Amino acid sequence: MAQLEVDGDTRGGARVPASLSADAAGSMANEAGATGDGAPRRNAGGQDANAAARIRVRAGVAADKPVSTAGIALLVSDVDGTLLRPDKSLAPATLEAVNRLRAAGVRFTLVSARPPRGMLPLIQALNIKVPTAAFNGGAIVGARGEVLEATRLTSRDARTTLDVLLREKVETWVFADDQWLLRDPAGEYVPLERMTLGYDGVVVEDFSPYVDRIDKIVAASSDPALLARLGETLNARIAPHALAMQSQTYYLDITHARANKGDAVSALARQVGVPLTAVAAIGDGDNDVPMFKRAGFSIAMGQASAAVRAQARRVTGTNDQDGLAQAIDQIILGGTGTDTGSHG
């Protein structure tokens, strides 16, 4: 297992840094299992899924990574900024490429910070028949919409997060009970989120009644520096059991630490029945890097930051150039996926 260099707050017997990567936090939470304040991942029958399937994946790069895409059996794609164009549309070229991928025997699925209901139209449009991951992996959802595994914030971490955010000049949203809960329906980012999800939020005066079952809390702001500062503040208080990380420059997501895309890829591979070395992952954001480190092969979108691109083995076109379709045809199916020596 990769060693973690830690210095900072101490909780649950583990010292953790104030600013903690999603992959490291998820790994630490996995090691903690059902101890401390971390809620164990449960399957549909209420059983601790970590106990049912003790699959350990190291926090860094997947072992024995392939040097080509010849053995890829599953492609896991981010949604916003990857699958979709900037206007949130699904390009015909992408849909056709996914069909070609499946015809070649490679399965395709999605991982997103979106809630399950916000992913359903895309799942239907793409005819996805294998599990998908919502809330950055906080919910593993079956092909019929049933929740197979769920990892939610603890009540303590939810209250801590809300206490911080509600004092700041940010829009604060809560996702619980399959609803998008908000206090200000006139917020700057409400129209964008409504378009993204495809449904309206529910206005509430108080989030307190929901703190024992929150999947995700979001802070929205046009000030990315403010969100970055809030992320550092929150991680110093809620790690190692929860994690604050920007999914977009204007969104700060707060979820359980195991609700990260690294653990999501591990769960999806387990559900589909393929080894991590046979999984390819594609994305564009900082929160996609953990799945780059877990998957056997990784592809960054062309518009991703230099730091994100440096963590992937290959780079494809931008999402307004249908970069996912290019990656499928030229890298996965085209056989040009040989490792270029970049980080994985």
Side-chain angles (χ1 to χ4, degrees):
M1 178 171 291
Q3 297 298 312
L4 299 175
E5 295 181 3
V6 294
D7 59 1
D9 188 26
T10 303
R11 292 181 54 183
R15 292 181 58 79
V16 296
S19 180
L20 188 67
S21 75
D23 202 42
S27 178
M28 291 174 70
N30 279 339
E31 294 298 324
T35 63
D37 294 324
R41 186 182 287 275
R42 301 284 179 182
N43 60 23
Q47 183 184 22
D48 183 347
N50 284 337
R54 293 291 182 186
I55 298 177
R56 291 299 185 215
V57 181
R58 64 177 178 155
V61 179
D64 302 321
K65 283 198 169 185
V67 295
S68 77
T69 56
I72 296 301
L74 174 67
L75 175 60
V76 180
S77 174
D78 168 53
V79 173
D80 297 289
T82 302
L83 175 74
L84 302 179
R85 285 176 169 172
D87 64 0
K88 304 297 183 181
S89 65
L90 177 61
T94 299
L95 181 58
E96 293 164 3
V98 169
N99 288 336
R100 287 191 292 273
L101 184 76
R102 277 198 292 256
V106 180
R107 282 174 276 192
F108 179 82
T109 193
L110 302 174
V111 58
S112 175
R114 293 184 180 206
R117 188 151 52 117
M119 296 175 65
L120 186 59
L122 297 171
I123 292 168
Q124 293 172 338
L126 291 159
N127 196 29
I128 295 175
K129 301 299 185 184
V130 297
T132 56
F135 295 129
N136 286 325
I140 305 300
V141 184
R144 295 184 298 275
E146 72 278 19
V147 176
L148 303 175
E149 304 177 21
T151 304
R152 298 184 174 95
L153 287 165
T154 64
S155 297
R156 186 183 75 168
D157 290 331
R159 288 192 183 95
T160 298
T161 298
L162 291 170
D163 285 347
V164 170
L165 296 183
L166 293 177
R167 295 191 186 104
E168 299 287 342
K169 293 182 178 180
V170 297
E171 297 175 58
T172 302
W173 304 331
V174 163
F175 289 86
D177 295 346
D178 199 30
Q179 297 184 98
W180 166 31
L181 307 171
L182 66 159
R183 302 205 310 174
D184 180 10
E188 179 183 0
Y189 285 93
V190 168
L192 175 62
E193 188 70 359
R194 183 186 299 116
M195 180 182 71
T196 298
L197 298 181
Y199 58 88
D200 283 319
V202 176
V203 178
V204 298
E205 293 184 1
D206 184 9
F207 295 129
S208 297
Y210 303 92
V211 294
D212 63 340
R213 55 192 186 277
I214 293 177
D215 293 290
K216 182 176 73 165
I217 299 172
V218 176
S221 172
S222 58
D223 185 348
L226 171 60
L227 294 181
R229 177 178 63 78
L230 287 174
E232 292 179 358
T233 297
L234 286 170
N235 282 328
R237 300 184 186 186
I238 62 178
H241 302 298
L243 174 71
M245 191 173 191
Q246 285 176 256
S247 59
Q248 305 287 343
T249 57
Y250 44 84
Y251 286 166
L252 178 69
D253 292 351
I254 300 89
T255 60
H256 193 282
R258 286 199 301 273
N260 69 82
K261 290 187 180 181
D263 282 342
V265 163
S266 295
L268 291 171
R270 182 174 70 246
Q271 290 284 344
V272 173
V274 301
L276 282 169
T277 52
V279 177
I282 182 168
D284 73 304
D286 291 342
N287 65 339
D288 294 314
V289 171
M291 71 174 177
F292 289 178
K293 293 180 179 294
R294 295 285 182 95
F297 198 85
S298 52
I299 306 168
M301 297 296 289
Q303 82 278 2
S305 69
V308 171
R309 294 197 307 271
Q311 295 296 317
R313 294 209 170 181
R314 291 297 305 271
V315 177
T316 185
T318 64
N319 63 328
D320 61 358
Q321 297 170 331
D322 302 333
L324 173 56
Q326 292 180 31
I328 290 172
D329 287 333
Q330 299 173 17
I331 300 175
I332 304 297
L333 299 181
T336 61
T338 301
D339 188 4
T340 57
S342 56
H343 301 289

